[in-house]
Amino acid sequence: MFVKAGDVTFHLTELGGGEPVFFLHGGGPGCSAWTDFAPVAPLFAAGWRCLLVDLLQYGKSDKCVITGPMWDFHAARIVALMDALGVPRADFVCNSWGGTIALNLAARYPERVRALVVTGSMPVFHGPLAPLPEGARRGRNARDAYYGGDGPSWQKMRDLMARLEWYDGQAIPDETVTLRYRQSLDPAEMALAARSDEPRGQWQELTAELARIQAPVLFAWGMYDAFLTPDYPLMLARMVPRGQLYVMDRAGHHLQEERPHDFHAVVAGFLRQHA
């Protein structure tokens, strides 16, 4: 369904019933709420009202140009979406790009967040032991490479997912690759990609914001995340007042897709603990 939230329109999928949980997806080419959370959403829908949101500039949501601080922009629009849906407070389960949005939202609008689960997000630009891969630009470089050269292709999408997002590239379902590839061909999405970082707003470093988060935060990480190794979320868990870390074996950047039943077991237990 489509929901008008202030000056933008979101697309979201709603499943289940009960206490609300927002699912915010990652920022790779062709990502949407359904591509990132389809394997695990039905498991959560047995106990929660699941709101799978296409973030702005992704999926079927508005492809608006963002000016000013990017994470502030996204957080404010998600709060406007909550208002439009009549949701005063919710849990958040987030991957990568979506997790950074939710962390900033939890810092700036603490009354709106009950508990928060974050996988593969990069809210700060340094690691505890060494500089981040490719100067913290690995994701942006991958996006530019995917859309560059001869342009997008099904095989380039599969190669990107196998190299950066999944632990076992051979296990990636063809239908997931196809969904991502088809979405990446959306004309408005391609127009944004052609401008690289310019239409996405000003990058923000959230060190100060992490210290202000009041909600409990579970950083759920893949042992073999190609963007950020588990020492990084351990650092994050110590930067938030109520942080903890779970590291999943045989998983990469998209553990909710690779290991949906195991992901659900861990995350559901955390959410029930803080209900």
Side-chain angles (χ1 to χ4, degrees):
M1 64 179 176
F2 292 90
V3 178
K4 182 73 172 176
D7 58 348
V8 297
T9 299
F10 283 94
H11 175 264
L12 65 149
T13 301
E14 182 169 347
L15 302 172
E19 291 298 318
V21 181
F22 282 84
F23 292 79
L24 306 184
H25 62 82
C31 277
S32 69
W34 194 247
T35 65
D36 280 17
F37 290 106
V40 78
L43 304 177
F44 284 99
W48 286 274
R49 178 190 179 191
C50 299
L51 299 158
L52 283 69
V53 180
D54 287 351
L55 296 171
L56 296 172
Q57 301 188 331
Y58 290 90
K60 297 178 183 178
S61 290
D62 278 358
K63 305 301 189 300
C64 53
V65 173
I66 298 171
T67 58
M70 62 192 305
W71 304 129
D72 288 353
F73 179 95
H74 281 290
R77 270 59 182 190
I78 294 294
V79 168
L81 175 61
M82 296 176 74
D83 291 340
L85 293 169
V87 177
R89 194 165 181 248
D91 296 318
F92 286 80
V93 176
C94 312
N95 177 251
S96 196
W97 191 268
T100 306
I101 294 170
L103 287 166
N104 192 43
L105 191 159
R108 294 186 175 277
Y109 308 92
E111 72 283 359
R112 309 307 294 264
V113 180
R114 180 184 298 107
L116 177 59
V117 179
V118 173
T119 69
S121 301
M122 190 185 70
V124 300
F125 301 154
H126 61 86
L129 302 176
L132 299 181
E134 299 178 30
R137 291 188 57 91
R138 178 163 286 179
R140 286 174 276 173
N141 291 344
R143 181 190 68 215
D144 291 348
Y146 174 76
Y147 282 104
D150 295 330
S153 72
W154 191 93
Q155 190 60 49
K156 284 175 75 173
M157 179 61 77
R158 185 176 188 84
D159 291 345
L160 182 153
M161 294 171 69
R163 180 169 60 90
L164 295 176
E165 297 179 356
W166 284 59
Y167 166 70
D168 181 3
Q170 294 184 343
I172 302 173
D174 285 350
E175 56 267 28
T176 302
V177 180
T178 299
L179 280 174
R180 290 275 300 271
Y181 170 59
R182 287 176 177 170
Q183 180 58 46
S184 76
L185 299 180
D186 176 87
E189 202 160 310
M190 291 186 71
L192 288 171
R195 297 168 63 183
S196 192
D197 277 355
E198 180 190 354
R200 300 182 187 274
Q202 300 168 5
W203 283 86
Q204 291 177 265
E205 213 272 358
L206 300 181
T207 295
E209 285 75 9
L210 293 183
R212 301 207 308 266
I213 295 174
Q214 300 174 17
V217 183
L218 173 64
F219 295 96
W221 228 257
M223 180 74 77
Y224 300 98
D225 190 303
F227 293 93
L228 301 158
T229 53
D231 57 300
Y232 181 84
L234 177 60
M235 176 188 73
L236 297 181
R238 299 183 65 175
M239 294 174 72
V240 300
R242 300 179 64 191
Q244 54 187 287
L245 171 64
Y246 172 79
V247 180
M248 183 178 290
D249 69 320
R250 296 177 292 119
H253 194 60
H254 280 215
L255 55 163
Q256 79 281 0
E257 291 186 78
E258 287 197 89
R259 306 269 302 280
H261 289 275
D262 294 331
F263 180 85
H264 170 260
V266 172
V267 172
F270 172 77
L271 295 182
R272 290 192 183 103
Q273 179 184 358
H274 298 286

